[in-house]
Coordinates of all heavy atoms in Angstrom, one line a residue:
F52 N 0.0 -24.7 19.4 CA 0.8 -23.7 18.7 C 2.3 -23.7 19.2 O 3.1 -23.0 18.6 CB 0.1 -22.4 18.8 CG -1.2 -22.3 18.1 CD1 -2.4 -22.5 18.8 CD2 -1.2 -22.0 16.7 CE1 -3.6 -22.5 18.1 CE2 -2.4 -22.0 16.1 CZ -3.6 -22.2 16.7
D74 N 1.0 -11.1 12.5 CA 1.0 -11.6 13.8 C -0.5 -11.9 14.3 O -0.7 -12.0 15.5 CB 1.7 -10.6 14.8 CG 1.0 -9.2 14.8 OD1 0.1 -9.0 14.0 OD2 1.4 -8.4 15.7
L76 N -3.9 -14.3 14.2 CA -4.3 -15.7 13.9 C -5.8 -15.6 13.4 O -6.6 -15.0 14.1 CB -4.2 -16.5 15.2 CG -4.7 -17.9 15.2 CD1 -3.8 -18.7 14.2 CD2 -4.7 -18.6 16.5
I83 N -16.2 -30.0 4.3 CA -15.1 -30.6 3.6 C -15.5 -31.9 3.0 O -16.5 -32.5 3.4 CB -13.8 -30.8 4.5 CG1 -14.2 -31.7 5.6 CG2 -13.3 -29.4 4.9 CD1 -13.0 -32.1 6.5
Y129 N 1.0 -45.0 16.0 CA 1.6 -45.5 14.8 C 2.8 -44.6 14.4 O 2.8 -43.4 14.7 CB 0.7 -45.5 13.6 CG -0.4 -46.5 13.7 CD1 -1.6 -46.3 14.4 CD2 -0.3 -47.7 13.0 CE1 -2.6 -47.3 14.5 CE2 -1.2 -48.7 13.1 CZ -2.4 -48.5 13.8 OH -3.4 -49.4 13.9
A234 N -10.9 -43.4 42.8 CA -9.6 -44.0 43.2 C -9.3 -45.2 42.4 O -10.3 -46.0 42.1 CB -9.7 -44.3 44.7
M245 N 2.1 -58.2 44.1 CA 1.9 -56.7 44.2 C 3.0 -56.0 43.4 O 3.1 -54.8 43.6 CB 1.9 -56.3 45.7 CG 0.8 -56.8 46.5 SD -0.8 -56.5 45.8 CE -0.8 -54.7 46.0
R267 N -2.4 -35.9 35.7 CA -1.8 -36.1 37.0 C -1.1 -34.8 37.4 O -0.3 -34.2 36.6 CB -0.8 -37.2 36.9 CG -0.1 -37.5 38.2 CD 0.7 -38.8 38.2 NE 1.9 -38.7 37.3 CZ 2.8 -39.6 37.2 NH1 2.8 -40.6 38.0 NH2 3.8 -39.4 36.3
F293 N -4.6 -23.1 47.6 CA -5.0 -22.8 49.0 C -4.8 -21.3 49.3 O -5.1 -20.9 50.4 CB -4.2 -23.6 50.0 CG -4.6 -25.1 50.0 CD1 -3.7 -26.0 49.6 CD2 -5.8 -25.5 50.5 CE1 -4.0 -27.4 49.6 CE2 -6.1 -26.9 50.5 CZ -5.2 -27.8 50.0
D334 N -4.8 -72.5 54.8 CA -4.2 -71.7 53.7 C -4.9 -70.4 53.4 O -4.3 -69.4 53.2 CB -4.1 -72.5 52.4 CG -3.1 -73.7 52.5 OD1 -2.2 -73.6 53.3 OD2 -3.3 -74.6 51.7

Side-chain angles (χ1 to χ4, degrees):
F52 293 94
D74 60 355
L76 179 64
I83 60 171
Y129 288 83
M245 297 305 293
R267 184 171 64 171
F293 290 113
D334 290 340

